[in-house]
Amino acid sequence: MGVQMTNCCGFSLKHGTIIIGVVQSIIAFMFLVLSAAYAENPHELVDMSDPSIVPDLTILKVILIIISVGSALQCLFSIFLIFGAETNRPGLLTPWLILNPIALGVYILATLTAIIHHTSLNMTPFIIGHMLLGIIIVLIVAYKIMCVWNFYKHLKSLNF
């Protein structure tokens, strides 16, 4: 079944989907540039933070490379989303609709892992902050996925 939506934040589903694609491609590109730059010089991140919580430099470099690849895919699929919405091609929306729920699941697992890892310490502000920020991010991403999914279903119903 699912939730039927006719607009996205006051815009039509088409324009809302395009706005989601533009904003997300800009954010993904920024993450790509920053993570790629820090992957080249991971010691700069260690210099800025508490060294006791930062993993080994090789592990940090691998994590930053994974983030760079994920950001590049997100940027590419967000551009597909923009062109798919503009040209009414639901096939171009599909990669975004596959990647984002997976990315949301990975984010939820990473947040839960961070919370569980810090429960043994007296880190109540950290845990509460992570939970609140995590809930806000999950709600925003779930809303974006619902908007794009409803536009995808609309295009499919028109036999595009």
Side-chain angles (χ1 to χ4, degrees), residues 48-100:
M48 290 189 296
S49 64
D50 183 11
S52 65
I53 59 171
V54 176
D56 184 37
L57 286 182
T58 56
I59 295 172
L60 183 60
K61 189 171 188 171
V62 168
I63 291 170
L64 289 168
I65 290 170
I66 291 170
I67 292 171
S68 295
V69 170
S71 296
L73 284 174
Q74 188 70 274
C75 189
L76 179 68
F77 292 165
S78 295
I79 292 169
F80 285 174
L81 181 71
I82 296 165
F83 286 119
E86 188 63 38
T87 60
N88 294 328
R89 294 186 196 167
L92 291 176
L93 276 62
T94 306
W96 190 92
L97 284 169
I98 293 171
L99 178 65
N100 279 281

Side-chain angles (χ1 to χ4, degrees), residues 1-154:
M1 286 248 180
V3 177
Q4 292 291 347
M5 298 174 71
T6 57
N7 62 32
C8 179
C9 293
F11 297 101
S12 67
L13 285 176
K14 179 177 183 169
H15 291 109
T17 300
I18 292 169
I19 291 169
I20 288 169
V22 168
V23 170
Q24 195 158 342
S25 65
I26 291 169
I27 292 170
F29 184 74
M30 289 184 343
F31 270 84
L32 170 65
V33 170
L34 287 173
S35 59
Y38 281 121
E40 185 68 28
N41 301 307
H43 64 276
E44 291 180 9
L45 282 176
V46 176
D47 294 342
M48 290 189 296
S49 64
D50 183 11
S52 65
I53 59 171
V54 176
D56 184 37
L57 286 182
T58 56
I59 295 172
L60 183 60
K61 189 171 188 171
V62 168
I63 291 170
L64 289 168
I65 290 170
I66 291 170
I67 292 171
S68 295
V69 170
S71 296
L73 284 174
Q74 188 70 274
C75 189
L76 179 68
F77 292 165
S78 295
I79 292 169
F80 285 174
L81 181 71
I82 296 165
F83 286 119
E86 188 63 38
T87 60
N88 294 328
R89 294 186 196 167
L92 291 176
L93 276 62
T94 306
W96 190 92
L97 284 169
I98 293 171
L99 178 65
N100 279 281
I102 292 171
L104 182 60
V106 169
Y107 174 76
I108 291 169
L109 288 175
T111 301
L112 290 175
T113 303
I115 290 171
I116 291 169
H117 178 71
H118 288 91
T119 54
S120 62
L121 305 173
N122 190 11
M123 301 288 287
T124 306
F126 175 83
I127 294 169
I128 292 172
H130 252 62
M131 288 176 58
L132 289 176
L133 185 65
I135 289 170
I136 291 169
I137 289 173
V138 166
L139 290 175
I140 290 170
V141 173
Y143 182 75
K144 291 188 322 183
I145 292 170
M146 284 181 10
C147 289
V148 174
W149 175 251
N150 279 291
F151 183 62
Y152 174 81
K153 287 192 322 186
H154 173 71

